[in-house]
Amino acid sequence: MIQMINTRLMTIDDIEQVLDVENNSFALPWSENAFRKEMKENDLALYVVIEENGRVVGYAGLWVIGHEGHITNVAVHPQFRKKGYGDLLIDRLLCEGEKKGINAYTLEVRVSNRPAQKLYEKYGFKSVGIRPKYYEDNKEDAMIMWK
Ligand SMILES: CC(C)(COP(=O)(O)OP(=O)(O)OC[C@H]1O[C@@H](n2cnc3c(N)ncnc32)[C@H](O)[C@@H]1OP(=O)(O)O)[C@@H](O)C(=O)NCCC(=O)NCCS
């Protein structure tokens, strides 16, 4: 079957499908309300989604803080991983960030999360330090990365 793949900016109508991705991706998922706030109230928020045959199967977002992009989340639904969609999401996010004048990006990632670290490294992110016990659930350290 031919797959139709599309990336675009996220809207409030995507929240239901994004929540499905979110709840299947994170130990501490964001709530529906958190996404609503991002879409409706946070002028700094920039989010993109990826669709396969019209279904939202991944999303990524950042906050535009001056010329810096603070990446909040990147996730692909488990059933749709390892198909290059994480790559496409980062590509689109960085492209949208560039339009906003962003010239540096940062994020935190669990020290145990090699798949995500490898994805970010592929795009030039480098580890610059650790935030000890950053994650509430298991007190895991966060790796701080910058590009
Ligand atoms: C990280 C994540 C977004 C990757 O999405 P994906 O669609 O599977 O990624 P892609 O297929 O586009 O792969 C892109 C790159 O990511 C890295 N990668 C992805 N899965 C990997 C794995 N299981 N092991 C190692 N590297 C991996 C590789 O560098 C890969 O590039 P390559 O195929 O050229 O080697 C996905 O695993 C996910 O949603 N994880 C749970 C949520 C999460 O941890 N998000 C990050 C929070 S900071």
Side-chain angles (χ1 to χ4, degrees), residues 76-103:
V76 173
H77 191 289
Q79 289 165 11
F80 296 84
R81 288 184 191 157
K82 299 293 291 170
K83 297 173 77 174
Y85 294 172
D87 273 339
L88 291 172
L89 278 170
I90 296 281
D91 270 346
R92 186 65 192 250
L93 191 66
L94 298 182
C95 170
E96 294 298 329
E98 198 178 313
K99 290 186 204 164
K100 299 268 185 193
I102 294 176
N103 55 28

Side-chain angles (χ1 to χ4, degrees), residues 79-140:
Q79 289 165 11
F80 296 84
R81 288 184 191 157
K82 299 293 291 170
K83 297 173 77 174
Y85 294 172
D87 273 339
L88 291 172
L89 278 170
I90 296 281
D91 270 346
R92 186 65 192 250
L93 191 66
L94 298 182
C95 170
E96 294 298 329
E98 198 178 313
K99 290 186 204 164
K100 299 268 185 193
I102 294 176
N103 55 28
Y105 294 85
T106 186
L107 56 86
E108 283 96 14
V109 55
R110 287 180 193 261
V111 290
S112 66
N113 192 350
R114 276 308 285 157
Q117 289 162 22
K118 285 198 70 176
L119 170 64
Y120 300 135
E121 283 164 6
K122 209 170 147 180
Y123 286 82
F125 283 82
K126 295 205 161 43
S127 170
V128 299
I130 294 292
R131 285 194 211 288
K133 301 187 173 61
Y134 183 75
Y135 295 96
E136 282 292 315
D137 58 335
N138 61 354
K139 308 286 176 236
E140 185 171 350

